[in-house]
Amino acid sequence: MTVYRIALIGFGGVNRALAELIAAKNQLWERDLGFRLNIVAVSDLYFGSVISPNGLDAKTLVEANFAKGGFGQLSGGSSEADNETIIKNAPADIIVEATFTNPKDGEPAVSHCRWALQTGKHVVTTNKGPVAFAAQELKALAKANGVGFEYEGSVMSGTPVIRMAEKTLAAAEVNGFEGILNGTSNFVLGRMEGGLDFASAVKEAQQLGYAEADPTADVEGFDVRLKVVILANELLGANLKPEDVTCKGISNLSPADIEAAAKAHSRWKLIGSAVRSDDGRVACSVSPKQLSLDHPLAGVNGATNAVSLNTELLGSVTITGPGAGRIETAYALLSDIVAIHNAHSSVTAKEAA
């Protein structure tokens, strides 16, 4: 049985949810998956940082009501975050990166991943920034150092669109996609169909926890643009940066636009799309589109995400599932750890043979 020592970078909703799962399901994973997880370090801007080579009790981490700088009360702890020291020096096998996404350059998360890979540690992340801005560099670092770099949760939270497309549709010849890749904007459009104006719909989304205090990244399409870059590069062999993708959000849609669409038996959706032409070039965009009601994405409501993959052999294949949520996103991290475990086990078995 394998024990993976993990360091959590960021202890907000997602990594806290992963700690909850570890506290509740480690024995189940040991039985069904062949490994268990041991948290040996945590670093967080609010709580500080702590290293414990023998492991930290996951249940205590989750249930203790730490104040600001509260990790300083723990043995081996400090009231200050120290991401670089934790990543480089903690006795961890896997760095779990779940800090905020910077839509301008992906930092500091890009550096977090780079430090980990350079020091021979696996990386799993839900952060869109490192994947959208530096995936090629980070993949090369991972390969050079014999470790894994996994990021399933960077596009649709726990819904496995990347791994699904690469593993199960490998021979179907994916040549494009279009998707609803932001639950906040989708919720806002749904509430506008229900009669609210844009500002009121955004306010309701904030009250329900779907939208941040500053909803710009969601409603102006910047979040979707990062996800489009990730999918285009990963599935279509593109080499795009976020600035290569045209981007328009939903803030200019009026109640009149929504009403006109309904009369035309259609509805507005914020769509991220990409298509690969015969010469290999990939064109991408993010913009509101008026979809007929029989379109496979037209019925995707609320905070749900969906992507329709256009394939040569199967036609359109649509994957629908949760695009957000603490536990759902923590599951994506777990699925990445499973992928690393399976790859490591396969290599070990080959070496033994």
Side-chain angles (χ1 to χ4, degrees):
M1 190 273 299
T2 303
V3 177
Y4 291 112
R5 300 166 299 173
I6 67 172
L8 307 180
I9 307 303
F11 200 62
V14 175
N15 267 347
R16 183 181 290 269
L18 180 61
E20 291 175 14
L21 292 177
I22 291 170
K25 296 184 179 294
N26 236 347
Q27 288 186 331
L28 177 68
W29 298 342
E30 183 176 339
R31 186 194 72 192
D32 293 348
L33 302 177
F35 65 80
R36 61 187 294 118
L37 303 179
N38 185 21
I39 302 171
V40 296
V42 188
S43 185
D44 181 84
L45 289 176
Y46 185 82
F47 296 115
S49 56
V50 59
I51 295 178
S52 177
N54 292 325
L56 296 155
D57 182 67
K59 187 175 181 181
T60 299
L61 282 174
V62 170
E63 295 182 352
N65 188 21
F66 290 111
K68 185 175 182 180
F71 288 168
Q73 302 169 13
L74 302 174
S75 175
S78 167
S79 61
E80 300 296 325
D82 193 349
N83 293 346
E84 184 171 2
T85 296
I86 294 288
I87 292 168
K88 291 182 176 180
N89 298 330
D93 306 301
I94 301 173
I95 301 298
V96 184
E97 213 291 339
T99 64
F100 71 95
T101 293
N102 180 343
K104 294 183 179 180
D105 60 9
E107 290 291 359
V110 172
S111 291
H112 295 164
C113 296
R114 184 183 294 121
W115 295 334
L117 297 170
Q118 286 173 337
T119 52
K121 297 179 174 74
H122 303 289
V123 173
V124 299
T125 185
T126 59
N127 198 314
K128 296 176 287 293
V131 193
F133 287 96
Q136 287 194 352
E137 175 202 347
L138 297 175
K139 285 181 180 180
L141 270 177
K143 183 176 181 180
N145 289 282
V147 291
F149 174 52
E150 299 287 341
Y151 40 85
E152 181 63 65
S154 64
V155 175
M156 281 176 60
S157 182
T159 304
V161 59
I162 296 175
R163 207 164 279 127
M164 176 80 75
E166 291 183 336
K167 301 296 184 183
T168 65
L169 296 177
E173 301 175 39
V174 177
N175 51 37
F177 63 83
E178 52 184 353
I180 296 171
L181 299 172
N182 182 269
T184 300
S185 58
N186 202 46
F187 175 85
V188 168
L189 288 172
R191 296 303 292 130
M192 290 179 72
E193 285 187 34
L196 297 183
D197 60 28
F198 175 77
S200 298
V202 169
K203 184 177 181 180
E204 183 175 320
Q206 290 170 325
Q207 291 171 340
L208 292 171
Y210 294 142
E212 301 288 343
D214 180 0
T216 303
D218 292 322
V219 299
E220 297 301 345
F222 304 144
D223 174 74
V224 176
R225 177 166 60 182
L226 295 180
K227 294 174 180 178
V228 165
V229 168
I230 293 169
L231 285 179
N233 290 347
E234 196 72 19
L235 305 185
L236 303 179
N239 185 23
L240 300 173
K241 297 294 185 183
E243 58 267 26
D244 298 325
V245 179
T246 60
C247 185
K248 182 180 180 181
I250 63 172
S251 58
N252 290 327
L253 288 177
S254 68
D257 294 322
I258 303 295
E259 184 179 348
K263 290 180 179 178
H265 303 290
S266 62
R267 55 170 49 107
W268 288 98
K269 297 291 184 182
L270 181 62
I271 300 296
S273 63
V275 62
R276 182 173 55 208
S277 58
D278 291 339
D279 62 8
R281 287 184 294 182
V282 178
C284 302
S285 68
V286 177
S287 66
K289 293 186 178 179
Q290 195 171 322
L291 304 181
S292 63
L293 295 182
D294 60 358
H295 191 284
L297 298 179
V300 177
N301 298 314
T304 301
N305 281 190
V307 62
S308 288
L309 302 170
N310 302 317
T311 74
E312 186 70 25
L313 301 185
L314 295 177
S316 178
V317 177
T318 301
I319 303 168
T320 303
R326 295 171 60 254
I327 295 296
E328 293 86 346
T329 310
Y331 168 75
L333 293 170
L334 175 63
S335 75
D336 286 341
I337 294 171
V338 171
I340 287 171
H341 174 72
N342 290 341
H344 177 75
S345 299
S346 175
V347 169
T348 302
K350 288 180 180 178
E351 289 175 348

